[in-house]
Structure formats: C-alpha cells, structure tokens
Amino acid sequence: MLTLMFITFIYSTVLRNRDLKILKATAQRWMINGHGGTSYKIVFAPKKANKKVNVDAVWIHNKPYKVVVDEVGTSEELELQNVMAINLSESQTALAKDEAPLPEEVPSQKGDAIIVYTIGKKKRYHIIPELTQLPFMMAN
C-alpha cells in the first residue's frame, strides 16, 4: 500500500506536470455597475526553451474555456524564455458542439484548473491544483 501511495505521489508531482512551469495562476471576483463575474489569469512558460506549446483549452471548475495566449516575452529573474499568459473571464465559457468533455483520466476536482495543450504531436495536460484568490474588485 505504501508503494502504491509513493508511485501515485511521484506521478502527480513529477510526470503529470513535466512540460510547463506555472509562474502565476489567479482568480479574481469582480463587479462593475451591477454586473459581475470572475477573471482568471495564468502565466506560464515551457520548461525547455526550445519547445513550442500550443494551448488548446483551459478547464476551470470543470468548465471549458476557449483561450487566446498572449506572448509575454522573457522572465529575466527566473531565466525563462517564451513566457505566455492566458486571460479568461467567466463570461467566455463556451463548449463547442463537437468538443469532447474533459477526459475521465484527468483527475479534476473543484478548484482545479487544467491546461490542455499540444507539444509536437502529443496532446497533454497540466493540472493547477489551486488558483490564488485575489481580493474582490468593485467599481461604479
């Protein structure tokens, strides 16, 4: 039993999240003129600078989001290249008719964010176990 727990731990920490380095993953509730929602921001970089990452979708709280990836550039203090950012809003939730639901082998729980991406010809995913909650933002 202890061996099984050890193998599960190694898989969940090393193998599953092997391609991306998450620099920031935040969620912020907001309200402007009586309309509100939640905004999400995920900043990441490939662990290997020569790898090209294509983000296919992001799942947050088991809801799919279509993404637009912004190139941030480099992070000199972390010595990372190809830093990218994803900005999402709760109002952008959309599941295409032909898009499959999140695969069952992806261990998702409430609060998780999952980045579905492609490197080369391989489709992979990266699980973010917890989004940092920013303070509530209100404007008139």
Side-chain angles (χ1 to χ4, degrees):
M1 183 66 169
L2 186 58
T3 304
L4 180 61
M5 289 174 48
F6 179 73
I7 291 171
T8 303
F9 174 75
I10 294 298
Y11 170 76
S12 65
T13 57
V14 177
L15 297 178
R16 185 176 62 193
N17 297 327
R18 63 181 173 237
D19 297 315
L20 304 179
K21 176 156 183 70
I22 304 298
L23 304 174
K24 179 175 25 172
T26 61
Q28 183 173 36
R29 291 183 34 230
W30 54 269
M31 181 171 284
I32 299 174
N33 294 329
H35 299 282
T38 305
S39 294
Y40 303 100
K41 182 169 188 162
I42 301 170
V43 180
F44 64 96
K47 288 184 179 176
K48 295 181 181 175
N50 60 351
K51 293 284 187 174
K52 176 70 174 150
V53 176
N54 294 318
V55 178
D56 302 323
V58 173
W59 290 72
I60 299 174
H61 303 291
N62 294 325
K63 292 181 195 175
Y65 289 79
K66 297 283 184 186
V67 297
V68 176
V69 178
D70 299 323
E71 298 282 332
V72 175
T74 61
S75 174
E76 293 176 10
E77 66 271 5
L78 297 174
E79 299 178 3
L80 292 172
Q81 298 177 355
N82 303 330
V83 177
M84 296 173 261
I86 299 171
N87 293 301
L88 303 168
S89 179
E90 199 171 60
S91 61
Q92 294 174 327
T93 304
L95 179 62
K97 292 178 185 176
D98 56 5
E99 188 174 343
L102 188 63
E104 290 183 19
E105 68 269 10
V106 178
S108 65
Q109 299 172 350
K110 187 175 182 179
D112 285 350
I114 301 168
I115 301 173
V116 180
Y117 61 96
T118 306
I119 288 188
K121 295 182 180 180
K122 295 182 180 181
K123 184 169 277 227
R124 296 190 176 161
Y125 61 89
H126 185 98
I127 296 176
I128 302 170
E130 187 175 343
L131 297 170
T132 302
Q133 296 293 322
L134 297 178
F136 182 77
M137 183 177 73
M138 182 183 276
N140 292 328

